Amino acid sequence: MMEKILKKPDYAKEILEIMHGSFSEEDMLERISDYHENDIAEAFELLSEAERKRWYRMFGPEQIAEIFSYIDDPDSYLKELPLDEAAKVLSYMDSDDAADILDEMDDSTQEKLVGLLDEESGHDIKMILSYEDDEMGSRMTTNFIVIHNNLTIRQAMRELVQQAGENDNISTVYVLDENDKFYGAIDLKDLIVARQQDNLEDIISTSYPYVNDHEKVDECIERIKDYAEDSIPVLTQEHLLIGVITAVDIVEAVDEEMGDDYAKLAGLTAEEDLKETTAQSMKKRLPWLIILLFLGMGVSSVVGVFETVVAVLPVVMCFQSLILDMAGNVGTQSLAVTIRVLMDETLSTKQKFGLVVKEMRVGFCNGLFLGILAFVFIGCYIWLLKSNPITHAFVISGCVGFSLMTAMVISSMVGTLVPMFFHKIKIDPAVASGPLITTINDLVAVITYYGLAWLLLIHVLQMV
């Protein structure tokens, strides 16, 4: 007997029922306190503006700050609050979340809100906003625990308890030396199980991984992912600890990097979403489309060069799209593999050369197999359905099969070398996008196909 699949409760719906119920304010807040802030945030977005304004007052700035951290576009809701109330909400948020919200606002509103923040929150948020979007400093939070290395175990625990009231990122405790420079880190578990008579120095990891504040996100994201830590410290050039990158920040950074790469592979200048206007989407798509238009004209003009081949053997036109499509697909496959491999910055020249050889070998083997299939099936097609002599039919299909194999080998090479070239000149290899590689490989395939048809069928075999 099959077990019944448990249906997941719709917590957002339950919260909405409480919010729309006839309970007292105190009873409502007590009932809603049983739910996670993520579910409350989901329900909150379904309320009307008038209903939300009522709940802003009931929740208070601290709980609203917690709810806003789970909403995708909290800036639009923050605008529903008076500036002084909005500033209070921002002051309760993690500095990186508050900085992200302010970054979406116009300069005038941003300046007013920062001016209304308390001194500590204002300093942290201004510091994060001072970094470029692609720098690690823009991703960090100032929510962390820090102690000095000259404390005893008892003193370290007391310091942890005191700071935990304001900073809840406590799984890793960071340590400074006598000059207030980064010294190392302590795992919370190690601090908890340590005996009072133990030396704090014995549980400090002095070789703890870190990133610099001006490092590029895409250059170090793979490195910090490999450590699988809850948080990684962010240091200045002077080795001063100014923030940490949490696991959540790392996941968000990876997600954005993947989104950008997918956008570039699709021939977009940036990632799109459903809320963008037609003009914004056009602006992102047009640059590549204009480039591809002129590249496409180049491919068409090359076809025109071989018009004598088409005039003598019109049947070859039937299989042009086959060669072009296969070459484009193979090139895009090699491109995807190469971009993934190039994420490893330690890759040697020998390893890169090995990748080119491997991709060409794969292209050759696949091309040989598909070329034989094309030789057999296209030959039968021309012979039986087009009523051509069997010799004539299989000579043409042989040319198609050989061209297919050659085009696939060259396309594999191009799909590997182009992103490597972009990487070498310090340009994101993802800009060697699918449409660009496909167009280049169209050019390669046209020259290969019609060139071989002209050479083999007309000049060597003289099939006129």
Side-chain angles (χ1 to χ4, degrees):
M1 188 175 177
M2 292 182 66
E3 291 185 9
K4 222 176 182 180
I5 298 173
L6 291 174
K7 188 178 179 183
K8 183 183 174 184
D10 189 345
Y11 292 130
K13 185 179 178 182
E14 291 177 13
I15 294 167
L16 278 176
E17 288 174 358
I18 295 170
M19 288 178 162
H20 291 143
S22 57
F23 309 102
S24 65
E25 287 189 7
E26 186 179 342
D27 197 14
M28 279 186 182
L29 290 172
E30 188 177 343
R31 288 169 181 264
I32 289 175
S33 66
D34 292 334
Y35 294 90
H36 192 278
E37 280 77 7
N38 182 58
D39 298 310
I40 300 173
E42 189 179 340
F44 202 73
E45 292 181 273
L46 300 174
L47 296 173
S48 66
E49 184 176 339
E51 289 173 323
R52 283 195 297 270
K53 285 182 176 179
R54 177 190 171 213
W55 280 97
Y56 289 140
R57 177 185 57 78
M58 290 173 61
F59 279 136
E62 187 172 357
Q63 191 169 0
I64 288 295
E66 192 68 31
I67 292 168
F68 276 8
S69 65
Y70 291 95
I71 293 177
D72 288 335
D73 298 304
D75 53 293
S76 59
Y77 298 103
L78 196 71
K79 292 172 185 175
E80 296 174 352
L81 290 168
L83 283 178
D84 58 333
E85 291 296 319
K88 286 180 185 177
V89 171
L90 288 173
S91 66
Y92 280 110
M93 297 183 76
D94 282 350
S95 50
D96 57 333
D97 291 332
D100 288 341
I101 292 175
L102 287 169
D103 207 29
E104 297 296 322
M105 296 185 168
D106 60 81
D107 293 340
S108 174
T109 306
Q110 186 181 114
E111 189 177 340
K112 289 175 184 175
L113 284 170
V114 171
L116 291 169
L117 294 170
D118 60 80
E119 187 177 346
E120 185 181 352
S121 298
H123 171 269
D124 292 345
I125 292 170
K126 282 179 184 176
M127 177 177 64
I128 294 171
L129 289 172
S130 69
Y131 291 97
E132 297 294 331
D133 289 343
D134 61 347
E135 292 179 333
M136 291 305 295
S138 69
R139 305 280 182 157
M140 67 183 180
T141 178
T142 54
N143 177 4
F144 61 94
I145 305 291
V146 61
I147 62 174
H148 281 84
N149 65 342
N150 58 358
L151 301 180
T152 64
I153 296 292
R154 178 188 286 272
Q155 289 170 331
M157 281 299 299
R158 188 183 300 119
E159 190 67 30
L160 168 63
V161 172
Q162 287 177 352
Q163 294 186 38
E166 292 187 5
N167 301 301
D168 56 8
N169 185 22
I170 64 172
S171 57
T172 303
V173 179
Y174 295 99
V175 186
L176 306 180
D177 62 16
E178 63 276 4
N179 298 314
D180 288 335
K181 293 190 175 182
F182 180 68
Y183 184 73
I186 302 172
D187 190 281
L188 177 62
K189 178 177 67 69
D190 294 335
L191 184 59
I192 291 173
V193 301
R195 301 295 179 91
Q196 289 188 21
Q197 65 270 21
D198 291 345
N199 192 339
L200 187 69
E201 185 74 30
D202 295 338
I203 60 172
I204 299 175
S205 173
T206 54
S207 300
Y208 199 79
Y210 64 87
V211 295
N212 289 116
D213 54 344
H214 288 292
E215 275 192 89
K216 301 297 183 185
V217 174
D218 58 351
E219 291 176 2
C220 59
I221 198 69
E222 282 297 312
R223 187 175 82 245
I224 61 180
K225 255 174 56 187
D226 292 339
Y227 287 109
E229 294 289 348
D230 290 325
S231 60
I232 299 287
V234 180
L235 310 183
T236 64
Q237 292 298 325
E238 294 76 32
H239 225 60
L240 298 174
L241 175 63
I242 57 172
V244 299
I245 299 288
T246 66
V248 174
D249 297 324
I250 294 169
V251 170
E252 288 176 354
V254 170
D255 184 55
E256 287 181 21
E257 280 297 304
M258 289 177 66
D260 287 342
D261 285 348
Y262 280 130
K264 289 168 184 173
L265 283 168
L268 305 175
T269 56
E271 195 176 4
E272 288 188 27
D273 59 47
L274 293 173
K275 297 179 182 178
E276 287 185 356
T277 63
T278 302
Q280 288 173 323
S281 295
M282 285 178 62
K283 187 178 178 182
K284 289 180 179 179
R285 302 183 190 194
L286 267 178
W288 270 119
L289 291 176
I290 292 170
I291 293 170
L292 296 174
L293 172 66
F294 286 99
L295 285 172
M297 289 179 182
V299 174
S300 299
S301 63
V302 170
V303 175
V305 171
F306 293 101
E307 60 185 7
T308 52
V309 178
V310 178
V312 174
L313 294 168
V315 72
V316 297
M317 275 290 290
C318 299
F319 311 108
Q320 174 185 309
S321 60
L322 168 68
I323 307 293
L324 267 60
D325 288 346
M326 292 304 298
N329 291 334
V330 167
T332 303
Q333 288 175 344
S334 295
L335 168 68
V337 170
T338 306
I339 288 176
R340 182 67 186 85
V341 171
L342 288 177
M343 292 177 77
D344 182 2
E345 295 293 335
T346 62
L347 211 62
S348 65
T349 304
K350 183 179 179 181
Q351 288 173 313
K352 290 178 182 178
F353 178 75
L355 175 64
V356 176
V357 173
K358 178 205 165 192
E359 287 301 311
M360 290 181 68
R361 186 166 62 244
V362 171
F364 172 76
C365 293
N366 285 337
L368 181 62
F369 177 74
L370 295 173
I372 292 171
L373 287 181
F375 169 70
V376 174
F377 286 102
I378 291 175
C380 292
Y381 168 77
I382 297 173
W383 172 39
L384 298 173
L385 299 181
K386 292 293 181 180
S387 302
N388 279 280
I390 186 169
T391 306
H392 184 276
F394 280 96
V395 166
I396 292 175
S397 70
C399 180
V400 173
F402 186 67
S403 300
L404 180 61
M405 182 189 71
T406 307
M408 288 178 68
V409 172
I410 297 173
S411 294
S412 298
M413 181 181 68
V414 171
T416 309
L417 290 178
V418 169
M420 283 186 179
F421 170 73
F422 276 89
H423 186 259
K424 183 71 175 176
I425 61 176
K426 305 298 180 186
I427 295 176
D428 187 352
V431 302
S433 59
L436 177 60
I437 287 290
T438 302
T439 307
I440 293 174
N441 283 334
D442 281 351
L443 190 61
V444 169
V446 164
I447 294 172
T448 301
Y449 180 46
Y450 285 110
L452 286 172
W454 174 79
L455 181 66
L456 297 176
L457 299 183
I458 296 178
H459 282 268
V460 176
L461 299 175
Q462 296 183 346
M463 294 180 63
V464 292

